[in-house]
Amino acid sequence: MASTLTYRVPLLSPCSTDLWSSFLADATELDATGFPVRGSFGVGFRCHTDLSVAASEDARKTLATDTIRAVAASWGQTVSDRTVTHSVRQLLLAYTELQPGQIVAFKKGLTVVAFARIVSPYRYEAARAETGGHYPNRWDYVIVRKPTAAESVPLSGRVKTYYSGGFTYTELTVTPTVTPTVTPTVTPTPTPAPAMSPRRAALIDALVEALHSRDEAEAALVAVVSRIADIQHQLALTS
């Protein structure tokens, strides 16, 4: 027997479209089509420092902000306060949320290309911050499955690197069929069931109705939470 489990997962670009070959090069295993089965990916945002050395969330935010500005200056670039704020927010969300076991949606440009499971803690690879390097803040992953046709429709406006809860993921779970053990039984003489009182029957009907109402309320709450998340992401894009 099969059932589906649906929930929101991070939506992220494991590599920019123009450097997609580097994402493929960081795979440790490919499928028959040449798409990664497992490997590593990273994010950059000009943040060339190990975020794990910070003692608190506030210290990590300060470290990331100062590093991004310093790296941009060393490259002869000028970055606005807004760009730095958006970069730090995405980077720290990834640092916090991408823990082993987390399912994520990988996108290339605006299109989801795979769902993956994070299989390592965050790490910083300093060598990737050297001249010509990319994405030193890294994680390992294993591909869970490819997207369906409906999940592959380009996502309007999703140009940022990282979106917290940015995509609805459907997981298929299969309940194993258990073969019952057949043992000899003795059929007992049936005993007539006592008649149910009208009062008890009415209470049972009321209980069933209340349970149905609860299920409907829970489903409505899930829809509201999902809608709030979508609105928050849209607000982030227009801030």
Side-chain angles (χ1 to χ4, degrees):
M1 178 180 180
S3 60
T4 57
L5 178 62
T6 300
Y7 49 93
R8 307 288 294 186
V9 300
L11 171 69
L12 62 93
S13 298
C15 185
S16 62
T17 303
D18 59 319
L19 295 174
W20 196 253
S21 60
S22 68
F23 171 62
L24 301 179
D26 284 326
T28 56
E29 182 182 349
L30 302 174
D31 64 16
T33 68
F35 193 86
V37 172
R38 64 183 71 242
S40 67
F41 73 95
V43 293
F45 295 112
R46 306 183 187 87
C47 190
H48 293 177
T49 191
D50 187 350
L51 297 173
S52 67
V53 303
S56 67
E57 184 176 350
D58 286 341
R60 192 170 297 115
K61 182 177 181 180
T62 299
L63 176 62
T65 300
D66 292 346
T67 302
I68 290 172
R69 291 191 184 281
V71 170
S74 71
W75 289 353
Q77 299 176 344
T78 300
V79 290
S80 66
D81 291 342
R82 179 178 180 180
T83 296
V84 174
T85 297
H86 282 288
S87 296
V88 171
R89 182 176 184 275
Q90 293 177 70
L91 180 60
L92 296 190
L93 279 172
Y95 178 86
T96 299
E97 296 179 351
L98 299 185
Q99 302 296 327
Q102 174 67 55
I103 299 295
V104 299
F106 280 165
K107 68 184 180 75
K108 181 180 181 182
L110 301 178
T111 304
V112 171
V113 294
F115 296 102
R117 177 178 288 106
I118 303 300
V119 293
S120 78
Y122 162 90
R123 67 179 180 275
Y124 180 74
E125 295 184 6
R128 292 180 180 266
E130 297 174 359
T131 303
H134 304 284
Y135 313 120
N137 303 282
R138 303 188 67 79
W139 295 261
D140 294 335
Y141 69 89
V142 171
I143 297 299
V144 176
R145 68 172 176 85
K146 297 289 185 67
T148 63
E151 293 168 333
S152 300
V153 175
L155 304 168
S156 176
R158 294 303 178 95
V159 297
K160 293 193 304 182
T161 297
Y162 191 90
Y163 294 86
S164 177
F167 200 82
T168 299
Y169 173 69
T170 300
E171 179 179 293
L172 183 65
T173 58
V174 179
T175 304
T177 301
V178 178
T179 303
T181 302
V182 178
T183 57
T185 57
V186 178
T187 304
T189 302
T191 301
M196 184 181 297
S197 68
R199 171 63 175 168
R200 182 175 178 81
L203 287 173
I204 291 175
D205 289 341
L207 176 60
V208 171
E209 183 178 353
L211 290 173
H212 286 169
S213 297
R214 181 200 63 184
D215 292 342
E216 292 175 354
E218 289 178 346
L221 177 59
V222 170
V224 170
V225 170
S226 177
R227 177 58 177 161
I228 290 172
D230 286 339
I231 293 173
Q232 289 174 332
H233 291 312
Q234 293 300 318
L235 286 173
L237 289 175
T238 58
S239 61

